[in-house]
Amino acid sequence: MSNDEFRAAMSRLAAGVVLVTAQEPPLDPDDPMAPAGEDVGMTATAFLSVSLDPPLVMVSLRTGSRMDDLLAEQPLWAVSVLTESQRHIAGRFAMKGRISDRLLFEDIPCTRGRESGAPLVGGALAALECRTEQTVAAGDHTLVIGRVLTAELPGADGGPLLYFRGRYRQLG
């Protein structure tokens, strides 16, 4: 089986779209005046619930990606479940060769997670804050299993943003 055959088969599986976010640690953790680290975000479609007791979720990250490197040193992160009207956010954080994360977050309404400090997208269907419990090397990806620390339902209208056959879609 070729990579193209595998990719084509998996593109037939519809997936929800989330924005995974984290905040880099301060540049100098011993200096209270040091600037805070930058917010980092990435679009993911390989995200799922793992366990109810304890509450665990899992996200798959490309090994060596900025988020993979960050979560190797920063155990706190967040997930915003995107709505069909937030396609522009998913596209922006999925771009290859993109601009700095600071600019990507610039005009997106966000709040700070009280546990993680990570940005939570305003108007998302759900927002979760997590602490990494375990990582598993899986081929060219790292599976990050996180304990859910907080879960909020901001009350957004609309349906979920989906990814199917290589494109963002909506229900209906």
Side-chain angles (χ1 to χ4, degrees):
M1 174 189 60
S2 72
N3 287 352
D4 288 340
E5 290 169 322
F6 179 65
R7 187 176 291 116
M10 295 311 298
S11 77
R12 291 346 189 241
L13 177 64
V17 182
V18 301
L19 184 68
V20 180
T21 58
Q23 186 179 51
E24 289 179 325
L27 298 176
D28 183 355
D30 297 327
D31 179 1
M33 301 305 289
E38 190 172 59
D39 292 328
V40 177
M42 66 158 268
T43 302
T45 56
F47 175 77
L48 56 95
S49 170
V50 173
S51 168
L52 184 59
D53 186 19
L56 300 174
V57 294
M58 186 204 73
V59 65
S60 180
L61 308 174
R62 187 175 40 81
T63 301
S65 67
R66 184 164 185 207
M67 187 63 73
D68 182 46
D69 292 343
L70 176 56
L71 294 190
E73 67 175 280
Q74 161 62 286
L76 298 172
W77 45 285
V79 174
S80 297
V81 180
L82 300 180
T83 69
E84 58 198 6
S85 67
Q86 294 174 319
R87 178 186 303 223
H88 65 287
I89 296 172
R92 180 184 295 187
F93 284 89
M95 289 188 302
K96 299 211 185 312
R98 63 189 200 193
I99 59 176
S100 82
D101 284 87
R102 181 181 52 78
L103 295 174
L104 292 176
F105 280 104
E106 198 167 74
D107 62 345
I108 295 174
C110 291
T111 59
R112 281 266 163 225
R114 66 181 183 269
E115 296 289 329
S116 66
L120 302 171
V121 176
L125 288 176
L128 307 170
E129 291 183 275
C130 306
R131 175 182 289 115
T132 300
E133 292 263 316
Q134 180 180 1
T135 60
V136 178
D140 59 0
H141 278 65
T142 302
L143 306 179
V144 179
I145 299 169
R147 180 181 294 259
V148 178
L149 304 173
T150 68
E152 297 177 12
L153 304 173
D157 292 329
L161 181 60
L162 300 175
Y163 194 71
F164 179 70
R165 287 189 158 180
R167 292 183 40 215
Y168 295 116
R169 313 276 180 143
Q170 58 192 57
L171 290 177

